[in-house]
Each structure stands twice: as C-alpha cells, then as structure tokens.
C-alpha cells in the first residue's frame, strides 16, 4: 500500500516539476502516457464534431435545397471562428490552456444538447441551427490556438514533428470514418441522434483531459501581467517583426488562397467534365483522405530527417504542379491519382509549418501566434472561394486550376528568393531538432 502511495507521489511530483515547454524526451520519461491520453481525448471529441459537421450540411441541403441557406451556413460556420481567434490567441497566453479546451468543449456540447432537445420537441427553426453553428465555430476558434500551443507543453521538442504527423494521420482517418458513420445514422434515424453522439464524445474527451496535468505558464500567475490589449499588440508586433514567423504566415496565406480554395472546386470540375454520378465525387474524396492518412504516416516515420523549410517550399510547389495537372487531367482516373498525391503532400506542408512555429515561438507567445494562424486559415479559404466561386460560373474550372497552379509556383518561388525568404531559411537553420525557441527574430 505504501509503495503505491510513494509511486503516485513521485509521479505527481514529476508532473508538477515538468517544464512548460521546450524539453527533450529524456527530461520527462512519462511524456508518452500524457500525450496518448490527450490525443485520444481530442480524437474522440473531434469524431463527434465531424459527425455534426457533415450531418448539419446534409440536413440543410436536403431540407431546404437552397444555395442561400448553404452560403449562410458557411458564414456562421467560419466567420465567428475567424473573429474569436484574435482574442483566443491572447487568452491562450494568459490562462491555463487545458482549462480553455475544457470550457470550449463543454460549451459546444451544451449548445448541441440544447439544439437536440429543442428539435426533439418539434422546434427546428433555421435560426436555431445557425446559432448553434456560430457557437460551435466560436468554440473551435478558442480551441485551435489552445491545442496548438498546449502540445509543446507536453510533447518533447525532439518528438514534435513525429507526434504532429501521427495526429495528422488520425485526423485523416476520422475524415474517412466520420462521413460513413454520419450517413449511416442520419439515413436510419435523423440528425438528432448525431447531436447526442457529439455530446457523449465531448464528455469522454473532457473526462480524459481532466486526468492529465498541464503546467501553467509562469505569466498566468504573475501579478505584473500586462493588459489584454498590450498582449494583443505585443503578439501582432512579434509576428510582423519575426522573420521566420512572418514568412510562415505569408506562405500559409498563399497556399490557402491558391491551393485549398481551388481544391474545393474539384467536385464542380468532376461533375462538369467526368459525370454527375455521386460515386465519382465519393471516390475522389476518399482517395484524398487516404492520401492524407498515408502522408501523415510517412511524416511520422521520417520526421527526424526532414528540413522544415524545404518541406514547406517543396510541398507548396508540388501543390502548384498538381493543381495544373488537375486542370489538364484527360480522364477521371488521372484526376483521382493526382488528387490522392495532393492528399499525401498535405501533412508535409501543414505539419511542417505548425511544428516549425511550435519549435520557434516562445511558450508565452504561442497562443497569440496560433490565434493568427487560425485567422489566416479561416479567412484565406473563404476569401479565395468568394473570388473563384463566381469565376467558375463564367470561366472553365480547369482553367482556374491551371491559373492557380501557376500563381502558386510563382508566389512560392518569390517567397523563397526574396530577402524575407532567405532570412527565414537562415533562421530555420538555427532550429535543429530540440533547438531552443525564439531564434530568428528581427
């Protein structure tokens, strides 16, 4: 009995004494257990969120058949996340990040439960669905910087790329499983059971997160903490003055404008050029998700041998080449093969960029930096679609794919050759595996 108490006490002391970030695997022997619990909780919670995401869009499509309703759904689904990310990034540097995730997950679950109960009672007004979508979007905006900034607190610096690669593969797997599960539940019952499933997965996710300890940053308990807007200003100043961080943000914006947005037009290209059969759209999406899962596995396997900047630049150029290929594809088989390869490349770009930021940015600023990453992602893609969507009705989609691919290659080439790109590459060379954060600030 006393041996068990002693062991528990030692474990507790080890957890309490863990550094807030920037440690190596050898420093904290039990890090794998906590990371496994954290990722398991996030995966279960995310599975429920994916189910709701698919189910709501299908429900609105089938019950209204209105383009305007779907456009409003996109606004309520993305805009709140973009707005709240500005504030959430600052919060993530001022409060315990684990608490932020728990509060946002709980809020999302309660709003979804309320909608389920209202729909059970016969109230299914559109404004209620839009309201819950907005609440869920706010919750996602709060979670994104908190989760991204929390990972370096529990994952050793020399294992970040590998863990991010594994996480990417898991998310890709959910992308394959979730639509199948959502379709099965929705087709056999209705959207309401999916809401209840989401509530249950959120409870499990929060419960698992409550079992692990995450150290708060020193500044969380500091009596001399700067004001909220001083923190916000400091975060913006840091992003725009730090060569490497500023460069990564710029490349993020380019890729999400010129690569991710055109990829959303792929179903339209398939329907216009290769046929309107649903199975053709399904095959392309499944292959893309399989490619992402494979890309995550490859990244996790070879993470220690990869240069971050090289991966970001090479995959961005690959996106451009493949976008041109999609526009010139003579048949569906070639198109699907290229779409699969894009999926393989996605984790190498996104995970390399996120890992580089986690390795570079000081723990006290990571929340604000990832908050702005969330803004870039949330704004760039809808902005790209706002331009390319209407253009697709007057210009051939394949021509848009080719044009975006060429623009991508030119833009990334400029990002690599301009002084800012050379400074970023020089700063990145200082970041070997396990290097200390903060290098490269201008």
């Amino acid at each position: 009995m006393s041996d068990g108490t002693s062991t528990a006490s030692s474990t507790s002391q080890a957890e309490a004494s863990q550094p807030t970030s920037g440690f190596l695997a050898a420093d904290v022997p039990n890090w794998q257990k906590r990371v496994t619990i954290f990722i398991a909780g996030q995966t279960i919670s995310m599975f429920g969120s994916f189910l709701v995401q698919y189910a709501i869009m299908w429900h609105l499509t089938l019950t209204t058949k209105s383009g305007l309703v779907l456009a409003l759904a996109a606004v309520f689904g993305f805009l709140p996340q973009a707005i709240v990310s500005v504030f959430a990034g600052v919060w993530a540097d001022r409060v315990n990040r684990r608490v932020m995730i728990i509060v946002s997950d709980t809020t999302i679950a309660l709003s979804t439960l309320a909608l389920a109960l209202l729909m059970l009672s016969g109230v299914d007004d559109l404004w209620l669905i839009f309201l819950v979508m907005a609440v869920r979007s706010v919750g996602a905006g709060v979670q994104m910087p908190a989760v991204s900034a929390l990972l370096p607190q529990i994952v050793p610096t020399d294992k970040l790329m590998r863990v991010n690669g594994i996480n990417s593969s898991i998310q890709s797997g959910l992308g394959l499983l979730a639509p199948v599960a959502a379709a099965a539940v929705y087709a056999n019952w209705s959207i309401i059971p999916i809401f209840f499933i989401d509530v249950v997965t959120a409870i499990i996710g929060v419960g698992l997160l409550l079992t692990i300890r995450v150290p708060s940053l020193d500044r969380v308990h500091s009596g001399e903490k700067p004001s909220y807007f001083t923190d916000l200003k400091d975060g913006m100043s840091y992003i725009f003055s730090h060569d490497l961080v500023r460069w990564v943000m710029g490349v993020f914006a380019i890729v999400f404008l010129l690569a991710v947005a055109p990829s959303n037009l792929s179903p339209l290209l398939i329907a216009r050029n290769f046929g309107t059969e649903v199975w053709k759209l399904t095959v392309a999406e499944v292959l893309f998700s399989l490619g992402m899962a494979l890309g995550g596995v490859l990244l996790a396997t070879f993470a220690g041998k990869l240069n971050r900047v090289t991966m970001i630049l090479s995959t961005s150029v690959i996106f451009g080449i493949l976008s041109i290929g999609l526009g010139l594809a003579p048949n569906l088989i070639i198109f699907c093969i290229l779409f699969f390869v894009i999926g393989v490349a996605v984790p190498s770009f996104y995970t390399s960029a996120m890992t580089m930021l986690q390795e570079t940015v000081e723990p006290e600023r990571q929340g604000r930096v990832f908050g702005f990453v969330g803004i870039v992602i949330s704004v760039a893609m809808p902005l790209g679609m706002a331009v390319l969507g209407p253009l697709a009705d007057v210009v051939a989609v394949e021509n848009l794919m080719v044009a975006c691919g060429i623009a991508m290659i030119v833009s990334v080439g400029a990002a690599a050759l301009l002084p800012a790109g050379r400074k970023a590459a020089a700063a990145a060379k200082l970041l070997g595996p396990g290097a200390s954060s903060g290098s490269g600030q201008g």
Side-chain angles (χ1 to χ4, degrees), residues 132-214:
V132 171
M133 289 184 72
V135 172
R136 295 178 64 88
S137 181
V138 168
V142 170
Q143 275 204 23
M144 189 271 181
V147 170
S148 299
L150 183 145
L151 268 177
Q153 292 186 255
I154 61 175
V155 178
T157 305
D158 53 335
K159 302 296 183 183
L160 266 174
M161 189 75 152
R162 189 178 304 278
V163 170
N164 282 331
I166 292 171
N167 204 20
S168 175
S169 293
I170 292 173
Q171 292 184 27
S172 301
L174 289 181
L176 285 169
L177 179 61
V180 176
V185 176
Y186 188 77
N188 288 285
W189 291 280
S190 70
I191 194 173
I192 297 175
I194 293 176
F195 290 153
F196 285 117
I197 292 172
D198 182 51
V199 173
V200 172
T201 58
I203 292 172
I204 295 172
V206 169
L208 288 173
L209 189 54
L210 285 171
T211 66
I212 65 174
R213 297 183 61 179
V214 179

Side-chain angles (χ1 to χ4, degrees), residues 218-226:
D218 292 338
R219 75 194 309 267
V220 171
H221 303 295
S222 173
E224 300 178 356
K225 192 159 39 180

Side-chain angles (χ1 to χ4, degrees), residues 51-379:
L51 292 181
V52 172
Q53 176 183 318
Y54 284 110
I56 285 182
M57 293 307 294
W58 294 341
H59 180 75
L60 293 176
T61 300
L62 296 175
T63 57
T64 71
K65 298 182 176 63
S66 168
L68 175 60
V69 168
L70 295 181
L72 288 173
V75 170
F76 285 108
F78 283 101
L79 186 59
Q81 179 176 348
I83 294 173
V84 80
S85 291
V86 178
F87 309 101
V90 179
W91 296 334
D93 288 336
R94 296 173 68 90
V95 303
N96 185 284
R97 290 158 181 168
R98 185 186 70 151
V99 173
M100 278 186 68
I101 299 170
I102 291 172
V103 170
S104 61
D105 250 346
T106 303
T107 302
I108 290 172
L110 289 175
S111 67
T112 306
L113 177 62
L115 179 60
L117 294 175
L118 285 169
M119 293 185 76
L120 269 179
S121 65
V123 181
D124 59 355
D125 296 345
L126 277 178
W127 71 267
L128 277 174
I129 296 176
F130 288 151
L131 177 62
V132 171
M133 289 184 72
V135 172
R136 295 178 64 88
S137 181
V138 168
V142 170
Q143 275 204 23
M144 189 271 181
V147 170
S148 299
L150 183 145
L151 268 177
Q153 292 186 255
I154 61 175
V155 178
T157 305
D158 53 335
K159 302 296 183 183
L160 266 174
M161 189 75 152
R162 189 178 304 278
V163 170
N164 282 331
I166 292 171
N167 204 20
S168 175
S169 293
I170 292 173
Q171 292 184 27
S172 301
L174 289 181
L176 285 169
L177 179 61
V180 176
V185 176
Y186 188 77
N188 288 285
W189 291 280
S190 70
I191 194 173
I192 297 175
I194 293 176
F195 290 153
F196 285 117
I197 292 172
D198 182 51
V199 173
V200 172
T201 58
I203 292 172
I204 295 172
V206 169
L208 288 173
L209 189 54
L210 285 171
T211 66
I212 65 174
R213 297 183 61 179
V214 179
S216 296
L217 300 176
D218 292 338
R219 75 194 309 267
V220 171
H221 303 295
S222 173
E224 300 178 356
K225 192 159 39 180
S227 69
Y228 175 89
F229 288 103
T230 299
D231 264 352
L232 179 60
K233 182 180 178 181
D234 174 73
M236 295 179 66
S237 175
Y238 176 84
I239 291 169
F240 287 107
S241 65
H242 195 296
D243 294 328
L244 185 55
V245 174
R246 183 178 65 242
W247 181 81
V248 172
M249 291 286 192
V251 175
F252 251 119
I254 291 171
V255 169
F256 275 84
L257 274 171
L258 297 176
V260 177
S263 72
N264 287 334
L265 295 176
S266 295
L268 186 59
L269 189 151
I270 292 173
R272 288 181 180 177
N273 292 359
F274 306 126
T276 57
E277 294 86 349
V278 175
W279 70 265
K280 293 180 179 179
L281 301 177
T282 305
V283 167
E285 291 298 332
V286 168
L287 285 174
F288 179 80
S289 296
L290 285 173
M292 282 189 63
L294 175 60
V297 171
L298 292 174
L299 192 65
T301 303
F302 301 105
K305 305 175 182 178
L306 304 174
N307 178 278
R308 314 286 192 255
V309 171
T310 301
M311 291 299 296
I312 293 170
L313 290 174
S314 60
T315 51
S316 299
V317 172
I318 288 171
F319 288 149
I321 294 172
L322 292 173
S323 181
I324 295 172
L326 291 176
L328 300 177
N331 55 58
L332 182 62
I333 294 175
I334 300 298
F335 183 93
C336 286
I337 291 173
L338 294 174
F339 214 47
F340 171 79
V341 177
I342 290 177
V344 173
V346 167
S348 295
F349 169 80
Y350 184 81
T351 305
S352 295
M354 294 295 282
T355 302
M356 179 178 288
L357 291 176
Q358 290 170 336
E359 293 171 337
T360 305
V361 180
E362 296 91 334
E364 294 78 11
R365 289 192 173 103
Q366 286 189 5
R368 281 164 284 179
V369 169
F370 287 116
F372 277 94
V373 170
I375 295 171
V376 170
I377 294 173
S378 300
V379 172

